[in-house]
Amino acid sequence: MSRRAAAELVGTAMLLAVVVGSGIMGQRLAGGNDAIALLGNTIATGAGLVVLIHMFGPASGAHFNPAVTLAVMMRRGISARAALLYVAAQFVGAIVGVWSAHLMFAEPLFQVSSRLRDGWPQGVAEAIATFGLIGTIVTTQRSRPEFTPVAVGLYITAAYWFTASTSFANPAVTVARSLSNTFAGIAPSSVAVFIAGQLAGTLFAIAFFGWLLKEDSPE
């Protein structure tokens, strides 16, 4: 269990280093063009996810996300005790990852974001983004488990652009990004609506895909 928690902590930290670090790099190189900065952020995050899931999947399942852990637990793939340990490791790892990005780019270590992402459409976007992420994982794990890392990376790459919120789809990522006043940041006042959307999307995905993939009993 200690190795699984360590995998979740380090994997989530590396994910946030990718997300925040590529956001800083993109913004610095884009010359004020947010579309170019977002494109760089998107490519790095999608590619990083594929690699990180391959790296840490054999150790912990590579959740890196409390929403994913909740879905796995509700589908009886992990115990409640293990799920709590995973979630704690994910939150700690996410914050460590943000701080790592700050150190790499000579940013102040401790920050609070001022980037507002307010309004109910942002919550709806997060619900849709998280619903799709959980659906991607559940369905590919059943049909083509070896493709799941690529599928997750591709889905997040797409969701960065088709959702109004740029698809955080992860409560630990959301909280950690509130501690970075950079391109990838989110103001603390905007966190609640994001997490509410993420939890709603997770529960709806568990219910819908559980029903969709349920095998009919023989008559």
Side-chain angles (χ1 to χ4, degrees), residues 63-114:
H63 297 185
F64 310 148
N65 185 339
V68 174
T69 299
L70 174 63
V72 173
M73 183 189 73
M74 292 185 70
R75 290 174 60 83
R76 300 180 182 177
I78 189 174
S79 69
R81 176 177 173 274
L84 285 173
L85 188 60
Y86 269 43
V87 169
Q90 290 156 4
F91 274 100
V92 172
I95 294 170
V96 169
V98 167
W99 289 345
S100 299
H102 292 168
L103 288 172
M104 286 192 290
F105 287 92
E107 291 274 341
L109 183 63
F110 302 110
Q111 304 179 23
V112 176
S113 179
S114 60

Side-chain angles (χ1 to χ4, degrees), residues 2 19 28 41-42 46 66 81 109-110 133 152 158 166 199 206 217:
S2 61
V19 172
R28 290 183 181 181
N41 195 200
T42 302
R81 176 177 173 274
L109 183 63
F110 302 110
L133 174 62
V152 169
T166 67
L199 292 177
I206 293 167
S217 31

Side-chain angles (χ1 to χ4, degrees), residues 35 40 52 54 66 73 77-78 89 94 100 111 117 132 135 155 170 173 176 188 209:
L52 290 171
H54 275 296
M73 183 189 73
I78 189 174
S100 299
Q111 304 179 23
R117 299 174 185 261
Y155 175 77
N170 184 328
V173 164
F209 290 103

Side-chain angles (χ1 to χ4, degrees), residues 4 8 30 45 58 60-61 67 71 78 86 91 112 117 124 136 138 140 146 162 165 178 190:
R4 292 163 69 184
E8 285 299 300
T45 301
S60 67
I78 189 174
Y86 269 43
F91 274 100
V112 176
R117 299 174 185 261
V124 171
T136 298
V138 169
T140 58
E146 75 286 351
F162 81 76
S165 61
S178 74
S190 303

